[in-house]
Every structure is written in structure tokens, then in C-alpha cells.
Amino acid sequence: MFSKLSVVVASVLVTLAAAIPNGTPPPPVTPPTSSQCCNSVVPSTNAAATAVAALLGLDLSGLSVPIGLSCSPITVGNNCGSTTVTCDAPEEEWGGLIAINCLPITA
């Protein structure tokens, strides 16, 4: 009787483990709304972008958007000496290390 119970419990645990997603989902990609000054903008498949994302617990696999690295918001009087882009508003917890879906601002 106990062997049947252990088989049932093991089956349930295997089913639950398969149903739980592995890792965190990729960050959502929404239309860019935040003007940013980024040190560089690279593809989401770039090694530097994936390394920074991994440090922050983000999974960029499956995304095909430009990623801004080392970004800060553009404010009045703030002169951007790097790449001026409009990105998804970066999350506060990312600390300006990464921004998603960065498109160049053209004047």
C-alpha cells in the first residue's frame, strides 16, 4: 500500500515541477516612453546585455529588441554625451544598468 502511495506522490511532484516555469520570464516590452542617455545600445543577444541581465535576474532570451546599458534619465540641463534613446521606463531596481527596447532619438 505504501509503495502505491509513494508512486502517486512522486508522480504529483514530477507533474508540479514540470508545470512551474524555470527561471524568471523576460521583462515586458512596451512602447518606449522614457528618454534616456545610455553608454551603449546593443542587441538583446549581446553577451554584455545578457550578462548584466543575468546579474539582475532578468532573462532576455526570446527578446529581439535593443538594450541600453548604463542609462540615466535625460532631464533639463542634462547633456547626454553618449547615446540618446527612448526606452521602456527602466525599473528602479535595475539601477540604470539596463533599459529595454531603446530606440534612437533623432532630431
Side-chain angles (χ1 to χ4, degrees):
M1 176 159 156
F2 287 110
S3 64
K4 289 182 182 179
L5 179 61
S6 63
V7 169
V8 170
V9 169
S11 299
V12 169
L13 290 176
V14 168
T15 304
L16 286 174
I20 296 172
N22 187 8
T24 58
V29 176
T30 59
T33 58
S34 175
S35 297
Q36 299 283 318
C37 180
C38 299
N39 283 346
S40 62
V41 177
V42 297
S44 55
T45 56
N46 179 280
T50 55
V52 170
L55 288 173
L56 297 170
L58 301 173
D59 181 9
L60 298 181
S61 61
L63 289 183
S64 181
V65 295
I67 304 295
L69 300 175
S70 297
C71 301
S72 59
I74 296 176
T75 58
V76 175
N78 180 2
N79 184 14
C80 179
S82 296
T83 306
T84 307
V85 291
T86 302
C87 306
D88 290 352
E91 303 289 331
E92 270 186 44
E93 64 267 17
W94 299 346
L97 294 174
I98 195 168
I100 308 295
N101 197 22
C102 295
L103 303 175
I105 296 174
T106 55

